Amino acid sequence: MTSNACHKSVERTLDCDAPGQPQAWHFPSGFLWGAATSSHQVEGNNRWNDWWAFEQSGRLPYVSGHACRHYELYEQDFDLARSWGHNAHRFSIEWSRIEPDEGKWNRDAIAHYSAVSRALKERGLEPVVTLHHFTNPAWFTHSGGWLRRDSAKRFSRYAAYVVEHLGKDVRYWLTMNEPTVYVLQSYINGEWPPCMKKSWINASIAFKNLARAHVAAYGKLHQFRRDIMVGFAHSALLLMPCDPRRKRDRIATFLRDLILNRAFFYLIGARGENLRRGQCLDFIGINYYTRSMIRSVGWGLGALTGQACHLSHHSHSGPVSDIGWELYPRGLRMVLEKFSRFGIPLFVTENGVATNDEVLRCDFMIQHLQSLADALESGANVIGYLYWTLMDNYEWTMGTDPHFGLAAVDSKTQERRPRPCSEDFKRICSENRMPVSAG
Ligand code: FCB
């Protein structure tokens, strides 16, 4: 690798090729590349959690069933990831398998996840472990779930048990995935278990308890191993006013951003800029998919925090994915720059597109990586990028229609069929560089 720096700001992060050679971004050495998954979406037969119970009782539109049978097929799936040049992989531990009844630990399940972490390491893939990705043990939800004051204690007891068994193999931990989205979907929109609608008080109780759970788990994880890196995966939705000239839209965008992008950080104590180590976050997982244009409408809440405007009259509107999410690559750079204010490393823990158009998928990835490279160049400290997702899976209340995977999955034979984008990504991961003009 040539190390001629293009200009000063590049030196720290991205090296460019020597003059006369085709220019390429060289990502920082040790950059983590891979894909992300979550237990309930891929494992299959997660019968001890609240999602399963709600699926079976018909309160959710789709059942997860065997999903990708990843619980059994994980080794072959990791072989695939290794063959694609990945050096990291994000998976989540299914709390309900580890603790199927309150206080009773399932030794087979913890042995399974230890084997999963080892299987990753043997293949040169750095494990990135999520402790909570939307699902809870059924007993936990039955007994009040995140509305109970002792929920944080229950969660941190589970975190302590897991780190005791996996801690020596796992350095990167995410206590939870997208707590803001989880609370909105479960207590306001009523779409996810426990399916409560417009339950504002419950939403705020659950939100606070999730924050307390993060802080408690952070402590437990650090007790086990000092050099551990603990964060949470934040849904970094980019919010912009529908009409930037309209004051009401600007205010609504600001307020919505406070709730979606700032409140949880505030609750866990990440209040200022430039956090010191030990302040409950060692890195931030950034899940970035899209932007939302905010329009203030009518009176009341609709005026205060606005509504998402789905018209395509906004500046630089991008195409939309199969599930209606606008593709807005430059937003990745914007959110990375925004969360840089905390002064701790950022890790893109999810970014992907639901599409059947493979040209679009490749363009999506390349353009987002260019945007990430721009953020690095402007000084953001980004340590890795994980594409969502390794293979098509159970996409929550949208079932199996959205196709986010680097591989398609035949639901009958469980055959994985790599998509063209996995090859483009492979070149980038294995060379740790990307042509500047790619895409
Ligand atoms: C994220 C979730 C992940 C998946 C993707 C498409 O918000 O974390 O489980 O559903 O969206």
Side-chain angles (χ1 to χ4, degrees), residues 6 24 26 98 101 108 142 157 170 204 301 335 339 349 439:
C6 292
H26 291 267
I98 301 285
D101 290 307
D108 292 346
H142 280 149
R157 188 179 57 189
V170 180
S204 72
L301 209 60
V335 299
F339 287 97
T349 39

Side-chain angles (χ1 to χ4, degrees), residues 294-430:
I294 305 304
R295 182 140 192 102
S296 166
V297 268
W299 300 102
L301 209 60
L304 265 183
T305 55
Q307 287 175 359
C309 171
H310 295 292
L311 301 176
S312 56
H313 57 198
H314 311 110
S315 59
H316 310 289
S317 273
V320 293
S321 73
D322 287 357
I323 53 173
W325 295 358
E326 187 198 357
L327 277 45
Y328 192 68
R330 69 172 73 181
L332 179 57
R333 173 188 180 164
M334 293 162 87
V335 299
L336 290 170
E337 288 177 355
K338 170 176 170 148
F339 287 97
S340 286
R341 73 178 184 277
F342 288 113
I344 54 176
L346 306 175
F347 191 165
V348 179
T349 39
E350 286 183 31
N351 173 242
V353 59
T355 185
N356 288 316
D357 176 342
E358 297 317 315
V359 175
L360 185 77
R361 190 186 314 281
C362 296
D363 285 354
F364 173 96
M365 181 186 275
I366 299 293
Q367 286 169 17
H368 280 78
L369 288 176
Q370 282 172 343
S371 184
L372 190 156
D374 288 342
L376 282 165
E377 197 190 16
S378 74
N381 178 7
V382 189
I383 59 173
Y385 173 91
L386 304 175
Y387 178 80
W388 182 270
T389 178
L390 191 68
M391 60 206 155
D392 291 347
N393 56 44
Y394 172 73
E395 185 46 51
W396 309 113
T397 47
M398 290 185 274
T400 50
D401 278 350
H403 293 157
F404 278 96
L406 288 175
V409 175
D410 181 321
S411 59
K412 291 205 180 70
T413 61
Q414 287 296 342
E415 187 199 344
R416 279 57 166 148
R417 295 196 195 110
R419 296 205 163 102
C421 185
S422 63
E423 282 302 313
D424 291 5
F425 192 39
K426 174 179 179 174
R427 258 190 304 280
I428 297 168
C429 304
S430 23

Side-chain angles (χ1 to χ4, degrees), residues 1 25-33 87 427-434:
M1 182 196 288
W25 297 119
H26 291 267
F27 288 86
S29 83
F31 199 77
L32 295 168
W33 294 105
N87 62 8
R427 258 190 304 280
I428 297 168
C429 304
S430 23
E431 294 175 9
N432 200 32
R433 54 177 240 155
M434 183 180 75

Side-chain angles (χ1 to χ4, degrees), residues 38 41 133-134 177-178 287 289 325 350 388 395-396 404:
S38 89
Q41 294 181 268
H133 198 122
F134 299 156
N177 184 65
E178 302 185 348
N287 293 356
Y289 288 91
W325 295 358
E350 286 183 31
W388 182 270
E395 185 46 51
W396 309 113
F404 278 96

Side-chain angles (χ1 to χ4, degrees), residues 172-188:
Y172 293 93
W173 294 83
L174 295 157
T175 54
M176 54 190 67
N177 184 65
E178 302 185 348
T180 321
V181 172
Y182 172 74
V183 166
L184 281 175
Q185 291 288 63
S186 307
Y187 298 94
I188 303 294

Side-chain angles (χ1 to χ4, degrees), residues 46-60:
N46 266 317
R47 1 182 124 249
W48 303 272
N49 69 27
D50 52 358
W51 266 81
W52 184 273
F54 276 64
E55 287 168 15
Q56 298 302 314
S57 62
R59 279 176 287 176
L60 293 170

